[in-house]
Amino acid sequence: MSTTRTNWRGWFRAALWLLIATSTAHAGAAASLPDARGLDVRLFRPPVDPDGYLHSNGTACLQPGALGLRLTLDAGFGLVPVEHAATGALALNLGILDGLVAGVALPLQRVSGDASSSTGVGDVELSGKYRLLQLQPGDLQTTARPGLAAVLRVSAPTGNAGELRGEPGLSIWPTIVLDYAPLPQLRFGAEAGYRFISGRGAALPLQGNPRFDYDDLITLGLAGRVDVSHRLSFLADWYAAGVAPSLTTRGAISAEIAGGARYQLNSYISLTAGAAFGLPRGQLASTGRGFLSLVVAASDADLDRDGYVTRVDGCPDRAEDFDGFRDGDGCPDEDNDADGVDDAVDACPDDAGARANAGCPVRVIGDRDRDGVNDYLDDCPDVAASGTTTGCPAARKTGDGS
């Protein structure tokens, strides 16, 4: 286990150093539009916390005090303002209260075209998610109950909008999220919101049409997930953004449809890979996109198949033994009486005893009253009561004082 953790730490460091090196080594001229006010070409954005689909958010939340880490790399090709755009985003999340999660994300971006290119930090994003309704999956006996959550993202203009690495001003992006799971293995989601942008963006050129200004965005996402095993899931996501004042203008609505797979490496680490293409392309969507996401957080997976998901499982990689002894924590109790003899070979699993005595306490076998009940089992060792299991006469068992 320690070797695995060391390897993952090494991969994280390598990925981060690669992003940092890229951001410092490729200083170039701005990939600018005719209007220097610019815009942010990031149509694809991962969920704000470890829960969620490919782009759309989900309604589950980290437990209070739990940490989540997400590293996402994506690259889009054939964008209208530029030819290529690649982003590496590192996000950190913390469970604050039951149903409340806060996070921060830092993107590093590279945009390039025939005429010019630019690399650097994008807009730093602060986020919060509050669960309004708990998702309850359905089954053949239980009716599903939808989950509902509110998400708020606020981005500071730390990037360069003129170089297409950030919004032209402060952005505030509230969304409402809906989850529904008719079966435990099948889940659907939807997210709708409005991204307010304080500054005015670039005037986008259109073939055969007047230019329109990049401005506030109306956003929408529709997603689905099917779990084919405890480790492997397939996901699909359609996400769109439309320039609010110009929705009827050609090119103002940009959307991509994405598909991918998620693999739960262990109870805390998952890897997601996928691809997307513009549908419709608009001014922000890519012709093609690829992305890879690594998440470290307690998950909804139940890899030990004991009925407790990782979030509430005290031993997420070891199944509960359900022997009537402390079965509520998700941990197997291999030695109930703590006598050093495993329950599997302990003849008396609930009574401490020596290993030499097969885990049973040493008892002197005797029958002083000669009623056929050994003294260690006889509640009345000096009063004969033949034919009973307790060794006491019937009157004694009824408690009449005889």
Side-chain angles (χ1 to χ4, degrees):
M1 188 67 175
S2 60
T3 302
T4 302
R5 289 178 178 172
T6 301
N7 290 340
W8 280 112
R9 291 194 185 109
W11 294 349
F12 261 112
R13 292 193 187 105
L16 291 175
W17 277 114
L18 178 62
L19 288 172
I20 294 171
T22 301
S23 67
T24 55
H26 294 282
S32 60
L33 292 170
D35 191 315
R37 291 171 297 189
L39 56 90
D40 190 344
V41 294
R42 285 185 66 203
L43 181 63
F44 174 81
R45 296 169 185 261
V48 298
D49 65 0
D51 183 58
Y53 300 88
L54 300 174
H55 168 94
S56 302
N57 286 284
T59 59
C61 294
L62 292 170
Q63 293 294 311
L67 285 171
L69 180 69
R70 179 192 294 272
L71 175 63
T72 303
L73 307 175
D74 80 271
F77 308 92
L79 285 84
V80 174
V82 294
E83 291 186 1
H84 312 292
T87 304
L90 181 64
L92 181 65
N93 303 98
L94 174 66
I96 305 297
L97 300 171
D98 184 30
L100 178 62
V101 179
V104 59
L106 174 66
L108 298 176
Q109 297 175 266
R110 166 78 172 172
V111 294
S112 60
D114 288 337
S116 57
S117 62
S118 171
T119 303
V121 175
D123 288 350
V124 173
E125 179 181 88
L126 302 177
S127 64
K129 182 170 79 171
Y130 181 67
R131 185 183 63 234
L132 301 169
L133 294 175
Q134 176 80 49
L135 174 68
Q136 179 178 315
D139 54 33
L140 297 179
Q141 289 80 32
T142 306
T143 302
R145 295 182 181 178
L148 187 67
V151 176
L152 178 64
R153 281 163 277 193
V154 178
S155 296
T158 54
N160 189 322
E163 297 179 353
L164 313 183
R165 289 187 288 101
E167 302 286 15
L170 180 74
S171 71
I172 302 174
W173 187 14
T175 62
I176 191 74
V177 180
L178 180 68
D179 257 343
Y180 183 73
L183 297 171
Q185 302 82 15
L186 184 62
R187 178 177 165 188
F188 300 101
E191 182 175 15
Y194 188 94
R195 189 152 86 232
F196 167 79
I197 303 169
S198 64
R200 187 180 177 187
L204 300 175
L206 298 173
Q207 293 182 355
N209 289 296
R211 296 181 179 183
F212 69 89
D213 289 333
Y214 178 79
D215 208 326
D216 296 353
L217 300 174
I218 296 174
T219 64
L220 177 65
L222 300 172
R225 187 185 85 188
V226 57
D227 300 330
V228 298
S229 73
H230 284 75
R231 291 183 181 272
L232 179 64
S233 302
F234 291 110
L235 303 96
D237 210 328
W238 180 82
Y239 46 92
V243 179
S246 307
L247 289 179
T248 58
T249 304
R250 183 176 63 86
I253 298 178
S254 303
E256 294 179 350
I257 186 167
R262 179 174 297 160
Y263 189 76
Q264 196 73 36
L265 298 173
N266 60 34
S267 295
Y268 290 89
I269 300 176
S270 67
L271 185 67
T272 301
F277 62 90
L279 185 70
R281 283 186 61 197
Q283 291 291 321
L284 300 178
S286 62
T287 301
R289 183 185 303 277
F291 52 87
L292 183 67
S293 183
L294 182 68
V295 172
V296 180
S299 71
D300 281 328
D302 179 20
L303 300 186
D304 56 15
R305 302 192 179 188
D306 60 359
Y308 296 98
V309 298
T310 298
R311 297 173 187 269
V312 297
D313 197 334
C315 301
D317 297 309
R318 294 187 299 141
E320 176 65 77
D321 52 4
F322 295 106
D323 58 357
F325 182 79
R326 297 179 181 174
D327 290 340
D329 57 2
C331 291
D333 301 291
E334 299 171 350
D335 184 11
N336 292 357
D337 53 18
D339 61 0
V341 182
D342 287 346
D343 292 342
V345 295
D346 195 330
C348 303
D350 298 315
D351 298 312
R355 185 178 297 275
N357 202 41
C360 290
V362 177
R363 298 183 176 109
V364 177
I365 305 298
D367 183 12
R368 295 199 302 270
D369 54 16
R370 298 184 181 182
D371 60 1
V373 181
N374 291 330
D375 289 342
Y376 78 93
L377 295 174
D378 197 331
D379 292 338
C380 303
D382 297 311
V383 179
S386 300
T388 66
T389 58
T390 63
C392 288
R396 176 66 60 86
K397 289 192 295 180
T398 60
D400 63 355
S402 301

